[in-house]
Amino acid sequence: LVPARPYDDVALLMARTKRLGSEQVAAWELRSDPAVVADARRTATRQLARWGLDDLAFTTELVVSELVTNAMRYATGSIRLRLIRERALVCEVLDGGATAPHLRHPRTTDEGGRGLLLVSQLTQRWGTRFVPEGKIIWAEQSLTDLQE
C-alpha cells in the first residue's frame, strides 16, 4: 500500500498472460537468401487459408515480403517468420540485428524506403521488440473487420 504522501511516483502494472494453442501459431526458419522471400509469402498464404483468413492474404503477403526482405538486407543471423492468430493476426519476423527500423517518408524520386511505410499504412499497428537473439519486428491486422 502507498503511504498518504509518497516520496516517489507509484505505478501498478497488471498483466494477464495465456498460452496459445499450437493451432494458433505457425513458425518457419528462413535462410538469408532473397529467393526465400517468395516462398515465405506462399507459405504464409497457405497458413491463412488453413485458418480461414483468405481475406488477409494480400496484406499479409506484403507485410511478410517487406519484413523478411528488411531482415535479410539489414540484419545478420537466422531469420524466423511467425504468424499468430488470436484476437488479431500478428506477423513477426525475428532477426539477429540490434537496431530498430525507422519509418521513412521517401520523396517521390526515391527508389526505395517505402516498405515500412506501407506496412504501417496497411496494418492496425506495428513495432519492434528486442529479445536476447536480436529483435522482432511485428505487424498486427484486425480480425474483427472480417467477422462483420
Side-chain angles (χ1 to χ4, degrees), residues 26 28 30 34 36-48 56-72 79-84 89-94 115 118-119 122-123 137-139 141:
W28 305 273
L30 306 176
V36 171
V37 177
D39 292 336
R41 283 193 308 264
R42 281 190 293 275
T43 301
T45 300
R46 282 194 300 271
Q47 184 62 49
L48 293 181
L56 298 178
F58 178 79
T59 300
T60 303
E61 283 183 344
L62 182 126
V63 169
V64 166
S65 214
E66 293 302 328
L67 298 185
V68 170
T69 299
N70 284 349
M72 289 182 188
I79 298 169
R80 185 182 71 218
L81 168 63
R82 188 162 77 153
L83 296 178
I84 302 166
L89 176 68
V90 179
C91 175
E92 296 181 340
V93 174
L94 174 132
L118 288 172
V119 169
L122 294 174
T123 61
I137 309 295
W138 57 269
Q141 298 176 67

Side-chain angles (χ1 to χ4, degrees), residues 103-106 113-122:
L103 188 62
R104 293 181 42 210
H105 295 277
R114 290 176 179 78
L116 203 50
L117 180 63
L118 288 172
V119 169
S120 74
Q121 296 295 309
L122 294 174

Side-chain angles (χ1 to χ4, degrees), residues 2 4 7 9 22 25-27 46 51 65 73 90 97-98 101 104 106 115-116 135 145 148:
V2 180
Y7 61 89
D9 292 338
S22 61
V25 180
R46 282 194 300 271
W51 284 338
S65 214
R73 184 174 292 156
V90 179
R104 293 181 42 210
L116 203 50
K135 70 175 176 306
D145 297 341
E148 295 176 353

